[in-house]
Amino acid sequence: MDLTTGPAATPPGAAAPGAGPEAPPVPDDPAALRVVPARHYARWAAAAAVAVLVAQFAHGLATNPVWEWDVFRAYVLSETIVQAVWVTLQLTAYATVLGFLLGTVLAFMRLSRSPVLQTVAWTYVWVFRSIPMIVQLVFWFNLSALYEELGVGIPFGPVFWSVDSNSLIGTIGAAVIGLTLHQAAYAAEVVRGGVVAVDHGQLEAAAALGIPRLRQIRRIVLPQAMRAILPTAGNEIVGLLKGTSVVYVMSIGELFYQAQVIYGRNGRVIPLLLVATAWYVVLTSLLSVAQYYVERRFARGADRTPPPTPLRRARQFVRTLRGAAAQRDRSVVPLRFLGDSR
Amino acid sequence: MSEVMVDVHGVRKSFGPLEVLRGVDLRVRAGEVAVVLGPSGSGKSTLLRTVNHLEKVDGGWVSVDGELIGYRRAGDRLYELKEKEVLRQRTRIGFVFQDFNLFPHLTVVENLVEAPVSALRRPRAQAEETARRLLERVGLADKADAYPRQLSGGQQQRVAIARALALEPKVLLFDEPTSALDPELVGEVLDVIKDLARTGTTMIVVTHEIGFAREVADTVVFMDGGVVVEQGPPAAVLDAPRHERTRAFLSKVL
């Protein structure tokens, strides 16, 4: 039997496939045989069930008067809400940057050879992972009750300079400190996980080349650790973005707090919760897109050929579909997966 | 006779209860190639790693070009060096790993430029020029901007050799440089090492390639059980071994 897979080398006597009801004799060349894709009946049934549920939900969204879409529309882009979104973004940005900076320092302290640094870092993570964020925030809010003044001087001795603790940090400051310290404890473990995942041979090679220690970390270890850090870090940042809603306990005008203030005034609870939800969804979606491209950037050199972006993949999919349609006209279904990029 | 470049004196090293090196002496003169042979677990690699202080010794000492490695001597005491000073010492000792350990996120030329720029503070342009010259020397001038994973194992190891050379070390250490390679790629790496031997680079090569040892070595060192059993010119050690253990090993690998 001829097993070449070249273009239809139909042996004499074998009719072209799909030639009609007079049951053609089976061609010898497997490449000329017609391929019938597997049918997934259960998948179709599941898709139908999901479609019905989605339709029901969408119908409810559109027709149930409780959603009050006119109220939603009135508030979603209102100045108060947009400003509140800005506060939420600021809190997230500060806490992310500061939290990951502190977390990275803590991670390398934990991984250092100094037992002092190791213990300090371990204790920090233990303490700040143990206190619920909301409790910690209220503590910072009430800092002045604990320490009325903060000063610089000799420990247990005279104080040269001091300042009222409330005026030093303020409410937003207290929130940023609280979020940062909480985030740093988690970031430390995320970064440490990534660093530990880097092949030990990389550090040995860097050490054998005499590359200075800090440079080893910055240039050799961290870029490779980023591959393992980023997915979890993405989680953390999204968690933080939504976690900023907790600072409503400190009466800071972020998104959730302002939504509450408004529905406290007008009693339109559901549409205002919807406003907050919509904004949180939009912001996290943007973060997810950013995460995808950052991850891609840090994957340099990890694959022989970098995977295509979703945009390129979509274009390729369309091209494959067209190709498939063209081929089907010739009664041959292509022997590859649709959308397979390789 | 030329001066001693690498001097290993009575080196001992244990990993937990396991004594891997039990008093090893080894002298390699400038321009000489020493090939270390021995069964696995004989301590060859560990010995090599003590020379650039990737392993700290438990006893004895190592010096390279007259400089004590990892310690500073003052009177009758040895002071452990700070990491920074050890790193400086390592820039004079090139090390080539069994599994290459190229930096996968950096291009080939960036791999070569990194250490000269950050450890020796060379200007980047100059380091890049040197890097490209070295790549040409190992026959990979056209791969300068590729990432390591786009290269074959043999090519990666040649890049790793060029990376070690970029620091212009006084001595090159090879830790089984061809053991991770497919058989047909071994030759290209050995050719590069032979070429270096011809140009008078001081080298210590841990390997299983007996043919290479016969062709290139000035001294063959046979290790077993954490000690040097026998050493001498290849003709003596490989063709007329005096020790039973050397004979037994050679009869198995030849």
Side-chain angles (χ1 to χ4, degrees):
Chain A
M1 188 162 162
D2 181 19
L3 275 174
T4 50
T5 49
T10 320
E22 57 266 0
V26 179
D28 285 341
D29 182 6
L33 294 176
R34 182 167 176 172
V35 177
V36 182
R39 310 266 188 241
H40 301 281
Y41 298 109
R43 209 179 282 173
W44 291 353
V50 171
V52 169
L53 285 174
V54 169
Q56 269 187 309
F57 184 69
H59 179 254
L61 274 182
T63 57
N64 189 336
V66 181
W67 295 113
E68 297 186 88
W69 287 103
D70 52 325
V71 180
F72 175 88
R73 268 192 298 279
Y75 280 104
V76 72
L77 290 175
S78 69
E79 203 190 322
T80 323
I81 291 295
V82 171
Q83 243 160 30
V85 168
W86 178 233
V87 173
T88 292
L89 279 177
Q90 276 178 306
L91 286 174
T92 310
Y94 283 132
T96 300
V97 172
L98 298 175
F100 270 87
L101 277 181
L102 181 56
T104 307
V105 171
L106 285 165
F108 281 100
M109 283 168 70
R110 181 81 192 279
L111 292 165
S112 81
R113 274 164 237 159
S114 154
V116 179
L117 296 183
Q118 280 173 25
T119 313
V120 169
W122 183 87
T123 311
Y124 179 95
V125 172
W126 170 64
V127 168
F128 282 90
R129 269 203 321 203
S130 307
I131 310 172
M133 187 153 81
I134 192 162
V135 175
Q136 208 216 118
L137 283 169
V138 178
F139 255 118
W140 283 105
F141 192 52
N142 293 299
L143 183 67
S144 57
L146 265 176
Y147 307 100
E148 240 175 82
E149 290 190 327
L150 294 176
V152 180
I154 298 168
F156 304 107
V159 175
F160 306 129
W161 174 87
S162 73
V163 63
D164 173 44
S165 51
N166 261 0
S167 66
L168 178 69
I169 60 174
T171 326
I172 295 265
V176 169
I177 291 176
L179 290 170
T180 298
L181 296 183
H182 181 82
Q183 197 52 45
Y186 287 90
E189 291 297 279
V190 171
V191 172
R192 188 169 70 91
V195 171
V196 172
V198 174
D199 178 22
H200 187 64
Q202 292 291 310
L203 268 180
E204 280 204 333
L209 287 165
I211 297 171
R213 183 97 175 124
L214 265 179
R215 178 90 181 168
Q216 288 181 24
I217 291 173
R218 239 190 46 232
R219 178 83 168 151
I220 308 298
V221 177
L222 269 182
Q224 296 187 63
M226 285 305 266
R227 299 250 302 147
I229 291 173
L230 282 171
T232 330
N235 253 358
E236 285 294 319
I237 297 170
V238 166
L240 182 64
L241 173 77
K242 294 180 296 176
T244 54
S245 58
V246 166
V247 309
Y248 84 92
V249 295
M250 302 161 86
S251 316
I252 291 174
E254 49 72 48
L255 186 51
F256 183 52
Y257 177 80
Q258 290 296 19
Q260 278 183 309
V261 166
I262 297 171
Y263 71 61
R265 220 164 40 217
N266 64 12
R268 302 281 174 62
V269 178
I270 297 295
L272 277 149
L273 286 180
L274 210 56
V275 165
T277 306
W279 273 109
Y280 283 121
V281 170
V282 167
L283 296 178
T284 49
S285 308
L286 292 178
L287 278 176
S288 306
V289 172
Q291 182 187 344
Y292 175 84
Y293 282 95
V294 174
E295 278 183 25
R296 213 182 130 76
R297 155 121 185 113
F298 278 99
R300 266 176 320 165
D303 298 305
R304 288 180 171 210
T305 45
T309 61
L311 210 69
R312 257 188 270 159
R313 207 174 296 169
R315 263 190 238 133
Q316 208 150 22
F317 180 67
V318 172
R319 223 177 295 143
T320 320
L321 277 184
R322 277 205 208 121
Q327 294 223 348
R328 210 173 298 120
D329 292 343
R330 278 175 262 130
S331 299
V332 178
V333 177
L335 269 170
R336 58 192 157 142
F337 279 110
L338 297 183
D340 191 343
S341 53
R342 263 155 249 230
Chain B
M1 209 55 187
S2 49
E3 55 181 320
V4 174
M5 181 57 82
V6 179
D7 197 353
V8 176
H9 188 91
V11 161
R12 284 184 291 106
K13 174 74 189 176
S14 302
F15 294 118
L18 182 70
E19 204 176 13
V20 183
L21 297 177
R22 301 187 297 168
V24 174
D25 292 290
L26 178 69
R27 282 182 164 196
V28 182
R29 294 178 185 283
E32 205 178 44
V33 178
V35 172
V36 184
L37 302 174
S40 26
S42 58
K44 318 180 289 288
S45 289
T46 308
L47 173 68
L48 204 65
R49 293 161 61 87
T50 61
V51 175
N52 76 342
H53 212 61
L54 279 180
E55 300 294 354
K56 208 192 270 185
V57 297
D58 295 336
W61 47 262
V62 176
S63 79
V64 172
D65 200 21
E67 191 179 335
L68 216 48
I69 297 298
Y71 298 93
R72 181 170 50 83
R73 186 175 171 176
D76 59 347
R77 276 168 208 221
L78 289 181
Y79 292 92
E80 220 175 291
L81 290 182
K82 290 256 171 71
E83 190 181 356
K84 200 173 166 183
E85 293 157 290
V86 174
L87 287 170
R88 183 188 55 78
Q89 291 187 327
R90 289 201 187 116
T91 59
R92 319 229 170 112
I93 307 169
F95 199 100
V96 176
F97 294 88
Q98 179 175 346
D99 33 16
F100 334 134
N101 289 342
L102 293 178
F103 305 130
H105 61 301
L106 302 180
T107 62
V108 165
V109 75
E110 285 169 342
N111 263 279
L112 265 66
V113 163
E114 179 56 34
V117 167
S118 67
L120 299 182
R121 311 222 153 273
R122 297 264 162 78
R124 181 165 287 272
Q126 186 196 328
E128 251 180 59
E129 201 188 303
T130 314
R132 289 183 196 275
R133 212 184 54 238
L134 286 167
L135 285 175
E136 204 163 310
R137 188 165 166 191
V138 299
L140 291 170
D142 55 327
K143 300 290 185 191
D145 299 311
Y147 284 99
R149 293 222 172 101
Q150 296 167 328
L151 306 182
S152 74
Q155 291 172 330
Q156 288 192 46
Q157 192 60 298
R158 279 145 67 197
V159 171
I161 294 172
R163 180 173 73 173
L165 288 172
L167 290 165
E168 292 159 32
K170 293 174 174 165
V171 52
L172 268 180
L173 310 176
F174 292 89
D175 187 8
E176 304 198 18
T178 58
S179 297
L181 297 177
D182 291 340
E184 78 270 22
L185 301 177
V186 169
E188 62 185 71
V189 171
L190 291 184
D191 284 343
V192 169
I193 303 176
K194 283 177 201 165
D195 180 53
L196 289 171
R198 268 194 292 278
T199 54
T201 316
T202 312
M203 296 193 276
I204 304 178
V205 186
V206 170
T207 186
H208 293 290
E209 302 286 334
I210 306 290
F212 170 80
R214 194 189 300 279
E215 190 181 339
V216 179
D218 297 299
T219 312
V220 171
V221 180
F222 176 71
M223 281 184 76
D224 193 14
V227 292
V228 172
V229 176
E230 186 166 352
Q231 61 177 312
V237 177
L238 297 177
D239 299 330
R242 281 173 291 135
H243 286 262
E244 186 46 48
R245 276 189 286 177
T246 320
R247 271 196 288 274
F249 173 75
L250 289 173
S251 71
K252 261 182 263 169
V253 296
L254 279 177

